[in-house]
Amino acid sequence: MGKAQKKRAMRRHNPMRVPDSHLPKGLASASSTSSKSQEILPILQKMESTDAAERKWACVAVSNIIHNDPSTRRLLQGKNVVGALIARLTDAEEEVVMEAMGSLRNLCIDGGYDICAEMYNKNILTPLKAFVPKISEVLAQYLTSPNSAPENARQAVYEFSDNVITTLWCLSETSNKALAAINAINLVPFLMSFLAAHQKLSITPVVAAAHCLYVLTDDNPPATSEVRSDAGYLSTLLSIIQSDHSAPNGKAKEDPDCRSVTLRVLCSGILRNISPLPPPAAISSVDIDKTVVLPLLLSVISSVSLSDASNTVQQVVARQESEIKMEDLSLKHTPKSDHKSDDEKHLERIETTLRTVQLALEILTGMCATLPDPGPDGEDDEVEAEADDDESIDGDAEVPEDGDMAVDTADSSSKPASSSLHSLIPSLLTLIQPVTLSFPPLASQSMHPPTTSVLSAIHNSAVECLNNIFLSLSTGSSTLSMDQQSGLKAWTDVWTALSVVGTEFGPGQERRKEMWDNAVGVLWGIGNVWKGVLPANEEQVRVLMQYLEANSDPRTQVKCIGTLECLAQHPESVQGNQVISSYLISLLPGGSAGGKIGTEPLIQAVSALIDIYSDENMPYDVNFRSGGYLQKLDASIDGFKKAVKAIDRKKEGGLDLRRRGDEVGQNLLAFVNYRRALRL
């Protein structure tokens, strides 16, 4: 598969619930699309009131009116609600501070990175840093003397802890600068104290602490080293993962919020982040992926039915709309801190379950990425590349004595994929299938945006995980390729999902486009594992060509070409081979479509043609001879060499691309000479 699909760096967990990047920018557009624009000014005025009750009311009102309402949120942001709320974190009244913290936390979750960046720039870390030791002190008292405070007081502290920790978690994903500032706070002992006491505390702040620690240990050496070096921390994480959540009769214990599973999944992610563990640790000899992480995550992703979840949400939302409207939360009433109905709590439980599945998929995606990261480009490589500039593709290459063509192959340095990855494939193929609420309708908003957001995220995460699995299987040794029916089923399942996703992209439909971009990589991986097994379906070939033409991303174009290459090598698809090969020929310098693609996809197209026709005894080789491909490939050599030499090696990935271009160029020369010598 060449070097187009590198191991994907595991993305930091995105706390944003409902993507809104497609919405128009600016206060004018926010004001025109918000149904609550008249409520903004009174809220901001009361935020500065001398009456503590009014200040508290204003803080609560912010959370109420931004819920699943990005237009109103953006309008508030434009009126500096972030600065106003941060100012309230130093309010003399404790209840005002707590409500302001809650609203800031909700802004982080609903607003995403832009609002988090604004909070960081407006110095929110100063009050947050002061809250950490105060929370630790209060919780220590609760753990020492459980009856030292009434239940409502303890719950208030738990909620405040959750809000502070969740905000720190979101801020740590904002930028490297914010992450460095949070590292300086030294949060690891604070967060681990929640996990160590998870059986004595409310699950809410414990899960928030695990989320924050999961993010902080993701490619962040300061936090990773601190967790890894403490045997007590490691023991706590492992005990949570392996905790028995079954009742004596074998049935699962009641988990009304579904968060105990989330906690276990997060702890498994933390263990993966800090692996490998130091030898003195008791679990250093344990294969964490195989014995701890994989069994847990497989059970999580296989235990949910997306169609059932979607149907339930639709029923609940329909029931909400048919019932009497919620109590009027106008300015005449003081909203309560928690006014959620049973239906709203039901929807949140469903979302929690689905978010846990998404999280499990993200961890699995990292676990399935077995390709090593490319090493740094050394100075010697630069010198060697410069020395080869004028001779890499020039001259006649030698034809191998055995008559076999030395075609371009995949990077052989990848580790062979574990057979345990096979067990994930059926569940992942199920999770990529869209259901009713998976994507917003093309002409309107989803009836429940949070569910749509998490469902589309699950589909894309499952596709990314499949991409890594098949990439691993295609570059290593696997017995799975012998099971042709599995290959045909996987291929059909991916196309079935894409047919439901459709190709109508645009504002608000970014997840559909992301699904296609990722799925083409999966098709390429399946094609490589079962090369020669998959027939060149006319409609699928046409769609891949059209998607290549409509896409400007060179990596996606490479995936399309790689997939077409695999389909062209089906022995019985002579006509399909002719359609694909003639299209690839047209992409060469001087071809009818020459210039439509960049250098990276051009290199892949040349490599594909060499691979397709490396065996002149194949039934479809007649297309090579009748189409005059030898002459066309020969005529493209100078143009190809020029394109490769124009690669800027100083750009990211440029040196690797230049090396690959040189290698394919040498193969092209050898291939032309070899085919010419056959005199067919």
Side-chain angles (χ1 to χ4, degrees):
M1 292 173 66
K3 297 183 179 180
Q5 291 189 337
K6 287 293 183 185
K7 169 184 171 183
R8 290 195 60 169
M10 189 167 174
R11 298 174 303 169
R12 294 192 181 279
H13 180 69
N14 186 353
M16 186 165 57
R17 294 174 72 204
V18 185
D20 61 354
S21 59
H22 63 280
L23 294 177
K25 307 294 183 183
L27 282 177
S29 61
S31 181
S32 63
T33 55
S34 171
S35 61
K36 304 168 186 174
S37 57
Q38 299 302 316
E39 301 178 34
I40 301 299
L41 184 59
I43 290 174
L44 294 175
Q45 289 174 338
K46 289 181 182 292
M47 194 88 70
E48 306 294 335
S49 172
T50 56
D51 186 343
E54 290 190 343
R55 297 199 301 274
K56 176 184 174 183
W57 174 90
C59 293
V60 175
V62 171
S63 288
N64 289 337
I65 69 173
I66 68 169
H67 185 62
N68 292 333
D69 188 347
S71 295
T72 300
R73 185 186 68 240
R74 288 187 170 191
L75 186 57
L76 271 169
Q77 187 180 3
K79 299 293 186 179
N80 193 32
V81 71
V82 170
L85 286 170
I86 291 176
R88 296 279 67 79
L89 294 182
T90 54
D91 198 282
E93 293 292 331
E94 189 176 89
E95 289 189 353
V96 175
V97 174
M98 297 180 77
E99 296 298 349
M101 192 68 250
S103 290
L104 285 165
R105 177 257 194 196
N106 290 342
L107 280 169
C108 281
I109 290 179
D110 281 349
Y113 299 132
D114 289 344
I115 283 185
C116 289
E118 182 182 352
M119 289 182 187
Y120 173 76
N121 292 333
K122 292 183 176 177
N123 201 29
I124 192 176
L125 283 182
T126 295
L128 292 185
K129 182 178 179 180
F131 292 150
V132 169
K134 293 180 181 178
I135 293 173
S136 295
E137 182 180 352
V138 174
L139 288 179
Q141 292 176 358
Y142 289 171
L143 293 173
T144 304
S145 306
N147 299 322
S148 60
E151 179 64 23
N152 61 341
R154 290 200 299 273
Q155 288 302 321
V157 173
Y158 294 151
E159 183 177 339
F160 184 70
S161 302
D162 171 39
N163 292 335
V164 170
I165 294 170
T166 301
T167 303
L168 287 167
W169 151 34
C170 295
L171 289 170
S172 67
E173 298 182 300
T174 303
S175 65
N176 289 332
K177 189 176 181 180
L179 179 61
I182 290 174
N183 280 337
I185 300 177
N186 190 27
L187 285 177
V188 170
F190 172 69
L191 299 173
M192 282 301 309
S193 68
F194 283 87
L195 272 60
H198 69 280
Q199 293 179 322
K200 300 178 181 179
L201 300 175
S202 166
I203 190 68
T204 303
V206 175
V207 169
H211 260 302
C212 192
L213 194 59
Y214 170 62
V215 170
L216 288 177
T217 54
D218 181 11
D219 195 23
N220 181 30
T224 301
S225 299
E226 187 169 2
V227 177
R228 181 187 291 136
S229 62
D230 192 307
Y233 293 166
L234 302 180
S235 178
T236 295
L237 293 169
L238 189 61
S239 67
I240 293 175
I241 297 171
Q242 297 179 333
S243 58
D244 185 6
H245 289 268
S246 297
N249 60 6
K251 295 182 179 180
K253 292 181 180 179
E254 184 179 2
D255 184 12
D257 294 320
C258 314
R259 285 180 287 185
S260 63
V261 176
T262 306
L263 177 61
R264 296 174 68 203
V265 170
L266 285 166
C267 288
S268 72
I270 295 168
L271 271 186
R272 284 213 80 253
N273 287 346
I274 65 175
S275 296
L277 303 179
I283 61 173
S284 60
S285 60
V286 176
D287 186 336
I288 292 177
D289 282 350
K290 185 176 181 180
T291 63
V292 179
V293 178
L294 186 60
L296 170 62
L297 301 188
L298 179 57
S299 68
V300 169
I301 68 170
S302 60
S303 64
V304 67
S305 168
L306 300 188
S307 59
D308 287 351
S310 177
N311 292 336
T312 301
V313 169
Q314 291 180 85
Q315 293 169 5
V316 172
V317 172
R319 182 168 64 243
Q320 286 179 317
E321 293 176 348
S322 64
E323 293 174 350
I324 300 175
K325 299 296 184 182
M326 293 176 58
E327 64 180 273
D328 182 19
L329 296 178
S330 67
L331 300 180
K332 296 179 182 179
H333 303 283
T334 302
K336 302 175 183 178
S337 295
D338 184 4
H339 56 272
K340 296 171 184 174
S341 66
D342 289 341
D343 280 344
E344 288 175 319
K345 292 176 181 178
H346 191 188
L347 292 174
E348 286 192 354
R349 285 195 295 272
I350 293 174
E351 184 183 357
T352 297
T353 300
L354 295 177
R355 288 290 177 194
T356 302
V357 173
Q358 179 195 357
L359 177 65
L361 289 170
E362 290 177 355
I363 297 171
L364 285 170
T365 298
M367 190 178 75
C368 295
T370 59
L371 286 184
D373 290 322
D377 296 330
E379 184 178 350
D380 291 341
D381 292 332
E382 286 285 355
V383 175
E384 179 183 351
E386 289 175 8
D388 289 344
D389 273 355
D390 298 325
E391 58 185 12
S392 348
I393 308 179
D394 290 334
D396 291 336
E398 294 183 2
V399 180
E401 293 181 3
D402 58 3
D404 292 331
M405 185 55 231
V407 298
D408 177 56
T409 59
D411 187 351
S412 61
S413 62
S414 61
K415 295 181 285 186
S418 168
S419 60
S420 60
L421 299 184
H422 299 177
S423 61
L424 295 171
I425 295 175
S427 294
L428 293 172
L429 289 173
T430 299
L431 290 175
I432 69 172
Q433 303 303 323
V435 293
T436 307
L437 292 180
S438 291
F439 299 97
L442 296 173
S444 61
Q445 189 183 43
S446 165
M447 68 184 302
H448 194 248
T451 300
T452 292
S453 173
V454 67
L455 285 173
S456 59
I458 285 174
H459 298 320
N460 276 297
S461 295
V463 169
E464 289 178 351
C465 194
L466 282 170
N467 182 72
N468 280 352
I469 288 176
F470 287 122
L471 178 57
S472 299
L473 295 177
S474 65
T475 55
S477 57
S478 171
T479 58
L480 189 62
S481 59
M482 300 175 64
D483 184 357
Q484 297 187 5
Q485 290 305 312
S486 292
L488 292 169
K489 183 183 184 305
W491 180 265
T492 301
D493 284 352
V494 175
W495 277 105
T496 298
L498 290 177
S499 67
V500 178
V501 174
T503 55
E504 295 187 54
F505 311 130
Q509 303 297 334
E510 292 82 3
R511 286 280 175 84
R512 293 182 191 266
K513 177 69 164 53
E514 183 182 350
M515 182 86 168
W516 267 92
D517 288 349
N518 292 327
V520 173
V522 177
L523 292 174
W524 189 11
I526 296 173
N528 270 278
V529 174
W530 286 280
K531 190 173 290 184
V533 173
L534 306 171
N537 177 279
E538 180 181 352
E539 176 65 17
Q540 294 171 355
V541 168
R542 181 185 62 80
V543 170
L544 287 169
M545 291 177 179
Q546 290 178 343
Y547 196 66
L548 187 155
E549 296 282 349
N551 210 297
S552 59
D553 178 28
R555 291 190 176 272
T556 301
Q557 292 178 328
V558 165
K559 296 176 190 177
C560 291
I561 293 171
T563 307
L564 290 170
E565 170 192 340
C566 296
L567 293 177
Q569 295 182 63
H570 184 253
E572 299 174 13
S573 298
V574 178
Q575 178 58 32
N577 173 281
Q578 193 278 328
V579 172
I580 294 170
S581 60
S582 63
Y583 177 73
L584 296 179
I585 285 289
S586 74
L587 300 178
L588 301 182
S592 60
K596 284 188 176 181
I597 58 174
T599 304
E600 188 172 359
L602 171 61
I603 292 172
Q604 185 63 38
V606 171
S607 175
L609 286 164
I610 295 172
D611 282 351
I612 293 169
Y613 295 110
S614 60
D615 184 352
E616 68 277 6
N617 296 313
M618 295 300 291
Y620 50 70
D621 195 71
V622 62
N623 296 322
F624 184 89
R625 300 190 294 271
S626 63
Y629 292 170
L630 176 59
Q631 293 74 21
K632 293 175 181 178
L633 284 168
D634 190 21
S636 72
I637 291 176
D638 288 341
F640 182 83
K641 180 174 66 174
K642 182 178 180 181
V644 171
K645 283 189 174 182
I647 295 172
D648 186 351
R649 290 167 298 162
K650 295 182 180 179
K651 288 185 177 180
E652 183 179 1
L655 188 57
D656 280 340
L657 184 61
R658 174 60 188 268
R659 286 171 177 155
R660 175 161 165 75
D662 288 341
E663 180 184 359
V664 172
Q666 291 169 359
N667 280 344
L668 176 59
L669 285 170
F671 178 73
V672 168
N673 290 335
Y674 170 69
R675 292 297 307 221
R676 185 180 290 123
L678 291 176
R679 301 184 181 277
L680 293 177

